[in-house]
Amino acid sequence: MTEDWLKSSIMAKRAVAKGATGTTHSLTIEQQGGFHYVYGPYAKPTLSIDPGGVVVVETEDAFGGVLTSETDSPTAKLNFPYLNPQCGPIAVKGARKGDCLAVYIRDVETRGAQPAGTTCIIPEFGGLVGTASTALLNPPLPERVKKLHVDRNGIRWNDKITLPYEPFIGTIGVSPEIEAISSLQPDYHGGNMDLPDVAPGAIIYFPVHTEGGMLYVGDCHATQGDGELSGVALEQRATVTLQVDLIKNWSFAWPRLETRDFIMTIGSARPLEDAARIAYRELVRWMSADYGFDEIDAYMLLSQAGRMRLGNMVDPKYTMGASILKNYLKA
């Protein structure tokens, strides 16, 4: 379903297909074949599409589907670092370094038998425990797996609590120019940002670093709180519908996002304040380059009207999204 606001979006104004819907393509689990666990330029594209093409992708959950029961042991079942399986890469014809991929997220739908959602506690992983990066003598928390019924009406946490179904894509991005970066890590290419705003109805913009752009996608969530505190959201298999366009000669350092109401820039780093600094710096530069603001004035305005979203505080790098309402950009 195309939303009215898309007609005024950056994608509609600047992209090759002007936001128009092109040919629809399918990328099923069978068509994908092997998943990818790094973002890099060394894999052959699974699919090649024209700008404006729609791709319906079947994704696996972050665990590769191996946690099937609440009695499962994550330590025994998970094969680290082969987590966060990614579909793609999807090449966009005509995309070159210096361009931008515009990815409109049309839908994220839960796929598979119920209980379709999985969350768990993994030893030495999470925001409130000792990890390999924050070495402590405290013993790890005990493992626990929770399986939940998920549909568009909500998520049944228990008999008293039903959480809203707020699906989004935890891991999405493009190929770096030369590196191969783990699908567990977010960075300038996107990746495992775990940012709830990367949701149906949003357009995310990625700078192209290599021919075709090479778009990867996976790790969908049914819901997640800010920070993904325990390290695991409500992971789900999903059917993702993406409309992918190409903006020529528009490049920037970090991913950007647009919705009906706001624009956002996304930064990933450790420590957390550096991720926030990257995000806000990129937003200042965007406001200056495209919306006529003096940089210092934009800096001062964001001090009053900027908003900061915490994506994750548990991955190898942390992710923050800085945003401002579009209403303030019309002045």
Side-chain angles (χ1 to χ4, degrees):
M1 181 178 68
T2 302
E3 298 185 45
D4 290 342
W5 81 268
L6 290 178
K7 297 175 184 177
S8 64
S9 68
I10 299 166
M11 181 175 73
K13 292 176 180 177
R14 302 183 64 170
V16 171
K18 302 297 183 186
T21 303
T23 303
T24 297
H25 306 265
S26 172
L27 186 52
T28 65
I29 295 293
E30 291 73 23
Q31 290 168 326
Q32 173 65 35
F35 293 108
H36 297 283
Y37 297 92
V38 295
Y39 278 56
Y42 307 109
K44 293 181 179 179
T46 306
L47 191 63
S48 183
I49 66 173
D50 290 316
V54 174
V55 187
V56 181
V57 187
E58 291 182 353
T59 65
E60 183 55 272
D61 73 19
F63 310 120
V66 301
L67 296 182
T68 59
S69 166
E70 292 190 342
T71 61
D72 284 341
S73 161
T75 300
K77 288 280 188 110
L78 300 181
N79 182 21
F80 185 85
Y82 295 98
L83 301 173
N84 254 18
Q86 298 295 293
C87 297
I90 300 165
V92 180
K93 296 174 185 176
R96 301 287 185 273
K97 184 177 180 180
D99 298 337
C100 162
L101 290 192
V103 183
Y104 171 47
I105 304 168
R106 295 171 65 127
D107 195 23
V108 176
E109 183 178 4
T110 302
R111 183 174 61 82
Q114 298 290 354
T118 307
T119 191
C120 66
I121 299 296
I122 299 171
E124 296 194 330
F125 182 62
L128 296 181
V129 299
T131 70
S133 299
T134 54
L136 302 175
L137 287 174
N138 305 59
L141 294 178
E143 294 184 309
R144 182 179 296 178
V145 175
K146 194 172 181 74
K147 303 286 290 187
L148 298 165
H149 181 100
V150 176
D151 60 37
R152 291 187 184 269
N153 295 319
I155 298 153
R156 302 174 194 168
W157 185 258
N158 57 31
D159 291 341
K160 296 180 180 179
I161 299 173
T162 298
L163 301 173
Y165 181 62
E166 298 174 328
F168 71 97
I169 302 171
T171 308
I172 184 171
V174 294
S175 172
E177 184 172 7
I178 190 170
E179 303 103 315
I181 299 176
S182 167
S183 59
L184 293 171
Q185 176 165 307
D187 214 307
Y188 65 92
H189 66 292
N192 191 26
M193 299 177 289
D194 293 321
L195 188 69
D197 297 290
V198 185
I203 304 169
I204 188 164
Y205 299 97
F206 295 108
V208 171
H209 305 287
T210 189
E211 184 174 352
M214 306 292 273
L215 178 70
Y216 295 79
V217 61
D219 177 36
C220 291
H221 300 170
T223 195
Q224 180 200 294
D226 286 2
E228 197 182 25
L229 182 60
S230 72
V232 184
L234 194 60
E235 311 291 339
Q236 65 171 355
R237 291 169 166 156
T239 301
V240 179
T241 305
L242 305 174
Q243 181 176 331
V244 187
D245 215 329
L246 172 65
I247 301 176
K248 298 294 293 181
N249 303 312
W250 191 39
S251 189
F252 35 86
W254 291 82
R256 297 176 172 181
L257 184 138
E258 179 185 17
T259 72
R260 177 191 300 274
D261 299 319
F262 62 82
I263 63 169
M264 173 182 281
T265 45
I266 303 167
S268 298
R270 279 198 185 198
L272 193 62
E273 57 264 34
D274 279 355
R277 290 180 178 121
I278 290 168
Y280 263 138
R281 182 195 65 184
E282 293 304 307
L283 188 53
V284 166
R285 290 178 173 175
W286 191 4
M287 291 167 66
S288 174
D290 289 359
Y291 295 97
F293 282 84
D294 171 82
E295 278 200 358
I296 300 302
D297 192 50
Y299 180 37
M300 295 172 72
L301 176 59
L302 288 173
S303 298
Q304 324 310 323
R307 295 292 181 267
M308 183 60 73
R309 184 69 179 264
L310 173 58
N312 84 78
M313 50 179 281
V314 293
D315 290 336
K317 292 186 177 181
Y318 303 151
T319 297
M320 300 290 284
S323 66
I324 186 169
L325 292 172
K326 287 181 174 178
N327 287 341
Y328 297 124
L329 303 176
K330 296 175 182 177

